[in-house]
Amino acid sequence: MSVLVFTGTRPEIIKMAPVIKRLEAAGIDFVYIHTGQHYDYEMSQVFIEELGLPRPHFVFRLEGASPASQLGEMMIYVDKVVGSLRAKPRLTLVEGDTNSVLGTALASLRLGIPIGHVEAGLRSYDWRMPEEHNRRMVDHISDYLFAPTELARRNLEEEKVMGEIYVTGNTVVDALDMYFDRVVEVEAKVLEGVKFDEYVLVTLHRAENVDDVKALKSFVEILRKLPIPAVYPIHPRTRRMLAEFGLLGLVESFGHVQLLPPQGYFEFLALLKNARLVLTDSGGVQEEATHPRIRKRVLVLRSSTERPEAVGAGFAKVVGLNPNVVLAELEKALSAGDDLPTVSPFGDGRASERIVEVVKRVL
């Protein structure tokens, strides 16, 4: 077996899908492992099926409640998987910045398997974020760094990483290009389920927002005072924390906020395509909103972003969670014209092609 391909969360599945498709088309042997960091069916297996990806050769559900225990589980599991194969893989491919990614990369390093990091070089410079810890460590132990933008490349060069750097674009653009016809197919049905003629799309899931009662209360206050209806596909983690802090009933009482279960990839993109704008703490949504067939303004409900390219291009603005600030910026965004760029700052849809060319050379 030539390549180990790992996914652990919804964004990783989506962003690795074009790479997996390219590996198949090139006839490159690979072992696909899904680590189960998002073990809810709605958050993992449904995306694998929707995107037409092969059934993972190995599936592992992380049981650890803490990041440290998850890392330990991942390293033990990767060691067992590699030990079960007839030949040692020649490359490990990981994408992103989760605990699964770091655990996989650390295990591969100790097993002597070169590492390719898809979406390398992103930096928020916010040390409160576990993702910032993870992505920095993975970058510094990777042999091949697939930077999505020139800014990401400069970040890596300034940190003097040891691996080879390739600017490829972001595979999220490839995924949107590859699957957008499916979005159009489900669009009418999705909109039938929306109660409002116009709406803002809302997502919130990051630990620094939903695990902090003060931050979560600020978010609920933003929802309460929205000047426009909202559609909110609620993440299981956020629902759980709202319930734990006694806030779920309040949110459910807001007549102008429609709560939805986690959406499939195509259904979510249909909601994004038809929204007036987006309120989110998601990095992936910041990228998806820049696609030429979506082009939406994004208010980032965080104090930093590792996607400054979206800010520089005029798509995104970092607004934090202060209700007064967010609502003022929302009013500005709603009254802004349709002057967004027609080209995404995250690439031309050929990122997976460039990555697989490097993989072929490595092998």
Side-chain angles (χ1 to χ4, degrees):
M1 299 298 179
S2 298
V3 183
L4 292 181
V5 179
F6 284 83
T7 62
T9 64
R10 169 188 178 274
E12 291 165 42
I13 296 167
I14 292 166
K15 291 183 177 182
M16 286 298 275
V19 177
I20 291 171
K21 293 285 190 181
R22 289 278 182 186
L23 291 171
E24 287 182 315
I28 296 174
D29 290 333
F30 64 91
V31 176
Y32 178 24
I33 303 169
H34 182 63
T35 65
Q37 185 166 334
H38 281 175
Y39 52 81
D40 304 83
Y41 176 80
E42 295 91 343
M43 301 301 289
S44 57
Q45 186 62 32
V46 66
F47 294 104
I48 294 173
E49 294 175 1
E50 280 189 336
L51 299 177
L53 299 181
R55 185 180 182 87
H57 298 90
F58 298 91
V59 176
F60 173 60
R61 173 173 170 169
L62 290 178
E63 302 287 351
S66 72
S69 61
Q70 287 185 346
L71 288 175
E73 284 182 65
M74 277 304 310
M75 295 181 71
I76 292 169
Y77 180 67
V78 174
D79 186 46
K80 288 181 178 178
V81 167
V82 172
S84 72
L85 301 176
R86 290 193 299 269
K88 188 167 81 171
R90 297 172 65 186
L91 182 67
T92 289
L93 287 178
V94 293
E95 190 283 330
D97 50 27
T98 63
N99 295 332
S100 292
V101 170
L102 177 58
T104 299
L106 287 170
S108 297
L109 175 70
R110 291 307 184 194
L111 290 167
I113 304 170
I115 302 159
H117 187 198
V118 178
E119 202 177 53
L122 275 62
R123 297 291 182 267
S124 69
Y125 302 100
D126 186 347
W127 206 238
R128 299 171 303 161
M129 295 178 60
E131 295 88 350
E132 184 75 358
H133 312 162
N134 294 346
R135 65 175 72 101
R136 284 175 179 261
M137 286 188 277
V138 174
D139 282 342
H140 281 271
I141 62 174
S142 291
D143 301 87
Y144 308 99
L145 298 114
F146 303 113
T149 65
E150 286 293 334
L151 177 58
R153 177 187 61 79
R154 290 199 298 274
N155 291 338
L156 294 168
E157 288 177 344
E158 288 172 2
E159 293 179 16
K160 295 181 171 54
V161 297
M162 302 297 290
E164 299 175 14
I165 303 169
Y166 301 88
V167 178
T168 60
N170 197 304
T171 57
V172 73
V173 181
D174 301 37
L176 283 161
D177 286 347
M178 188 178 296
Y179 295 108
F180 211 87
D181 287 346
R182 299 280 300 276
V183 177
V184 176
E185 289 174 8
V186 304
E187 188 172 358
K189 184 176 180 181
V190 168
L191 294 179
E192 283 178 10
V194 174
K195 299 190 298 185
F196 314 114
D197 292 332
E198 67 170 12
Y199 60 90
V200 295
L201 183 62
V202 178
T203 80
L204 195 86
H205 73 282
R206 289 188 176 270
E208 64 267 27
N209 283 339
V210 303
D211 292 357
D212 182 325
V213 64
K214 183 178 178 181
L216 203 53
K217 284 182 175 178
S218 293
F219 172 65
V220 172
E221 182 67 4
I222 291 166
L223 291 181
R224 187 177 74 83
K225 292 183 175 180
L226 286 175
I228 180 174
V231 173
Y232 180 14
I234 188 167
H235 193 286
R237 178 195 190 112
T238 311
R239 179 180 284 276
R240 184 174 67 251
M241 298 311 296
L242 284 168
E244 184 173 317
F245 293 137
L247 297 168
L248 182 59
L250 179 60
V251 173
E252 290 175 333
S253 73
F254 296 156
H256 63 290
V257 177
Q258 181 178 2
L259 296 181
L260 297 177
Q263 299 292 292
Y265 183 47
F266 309 127
E267 289 77 10
F268 180 81
L269 289 176
L271 290 172
L272 178 59
K273 177 175 179 285
N274 288 278
R276 283 285 304 277
L277 56 83
V278 192
L279 300 174
T280 188
D281 63 356
S282 164
V285 174
Q286 293 175 57
E287 297 164 344
E288 290 161 346
T290 70
H291 191 271
R293 297 182 71 177
I294 295 178
R295 295 177 65 242
K296 300 298 176 185
R297 298 185 188 278
V298 181
L299 298 184
V300 183
L301 302 178
R302 291 161 47 188
S303 59
S304 63
T305 180
E306 60 289 321
R307 275 87 175 180
E309 297 91 344
V311 176
F315 286 98
K317 186 165 187 177
V318 178
V319 297
L321 271 176
N322 181 302
N324 293 331
V325 173
V326 174
L327 293 167
E329 292 296 339
L330 177 58
E331 293 283 5
K332 292 179 187 176
L334 289 171
S335 62
D338 184 21
D339 58 350
L340 294 172
T342 57
V343 176
S344 172
F346 295 108
D348 58 3
R350 297 179 55 202
S352 56
E353 176 186 335
R354 296 182 181 102
I355 290 166
V356 172
E357 282 302 314
V358 174
V359 171
K360 287 163 65 176
R361 181 179 62 78
V362 170
L363 298 179

